[in-house]
Amino acid sequence: MNIIERAEQGQSFLVADDGQFLGKLSLNQYDSESISNNYGSYGSQYASTSIKNQYSSYGSQYSSLSPYNQYTSTPPIIYLSGRKYGYLTKNKYKSGVTLDPDNLSNWMRSNNLNY
């Protein structure tokens, strides 16, 4: 499923600036596409498409595509219920709505992303 289809279905998810899908924003640890699934492609600390992999393009503190790079101007985009919400980033100077990746789980809880 592509990004447009996910948005049309009202899903909540992350997308890297290069267009790579980075997982559903869901607290469901059994969903294979959830960033909360520690064994999945988007939640594992070993997966190349996970923001939790500190050695991947999407999780390294040195990668321009990573939310953990405090200087990046191209962090992942947050989609909430199919609409662009803001950016997942440690960059305090990024314009627009931003969310620190260390607060993501609490933010998902407050937005009832339990599915």
Side-chain angles (χ1 to χ4, degrees), residues 24-56:
K24 287 183 187 175
L25 292 173
S26 166
L27 294 168
N28 183 344
Q29 58 188 319
Y30 301 107
D31 183 335
S32 64
E33 293 188 325
S34 171
I35 66 165
S36 298
N37 183 332
N38 292 332
Y39 303 101
S41 298
Y42 308 105
S44 168
Q45 66 180 349
Y46 304 108
S48 63
T49 52
S50 173
I51 63 168
K52 296 178 183 178
N53 181 342
Q54 65 182 346
Y55 303 107
S56 77

Side-chain angles (χ1 to χ4, degrees), residues 84-101:
K84 184 176 173 185
Y85 173 84
Y87 300 95
L88 187 66
T89 186
K90 286 259 185 211
N91 183 346
K92 295 177 179 144
Y93 304 103
K94 176 74 176 159
S95 62
V97 176
T98 60
L99 176 65
D100 185 308

Side-chain angles (χ1 to χ4, degrees), residues 1-113:
M1 181 179 313
N2 67 36
I3 303 305
I4 295 170
E5 291 170 328
R6 289 178 187 282
E8 288 174 347
Q9 289 185 359
Q11 291 186 17
S12 298
F13 56 94
L14 292 175
V15 178
D17 190 70
D18 66 359
Q20 173 66 49
F21 175 72
L22 296 177
K24 287 183 187 175
L25 292 173
S26 166
L27 294 168
N28 183 344
Q29 58 188 319
Y30 301 107
D31 183 335
S32 64
E33 293 188 325
S34 171
I35 66 165
S36 298
N37 183 332
N38 292 332
Y39 303 101
S41 298
Y42 308 105
S44 168
Q45 66 180 349
Y46 304 108
S48 63
T49 52
S50 173
I51 63 168
K52 296 178 183 178
N53 181 342
Q54 65 182 346
Y55 303 107
S56 77
S57 297
Y58 306 108
S60 167
Q61 66 180 335
Y62 305 108
S63 172
S64 64
L65 297 171
S66 171
Y68 294 99
N69 179 332
Q70 62 184 338
Y71 304 108
T72 187
S73 60
T74 55
I77 301 164
I78 300 168
Y79 281 81
L80 179 61
S81 300
R83 297 184 156 205
K84 184 176 173 185
Y85 173 84
Y87 300 95
L88 187 66
T89 186
K90 286 259 185 211
N91 183 346
K92 295 177 179 144
Y93 304 103
K94 176 74 176 159
S95 62
V97 176
T98 60
L99 176 65
D100 185 308
D102 291 335
N103 296 329
L104 185 56
S105 290
N106 288 334
W107 181 84
M108 287 192 298
R109 274 187 208 87
S110 69
N111 282 282
N112 295 315
L113 299 176

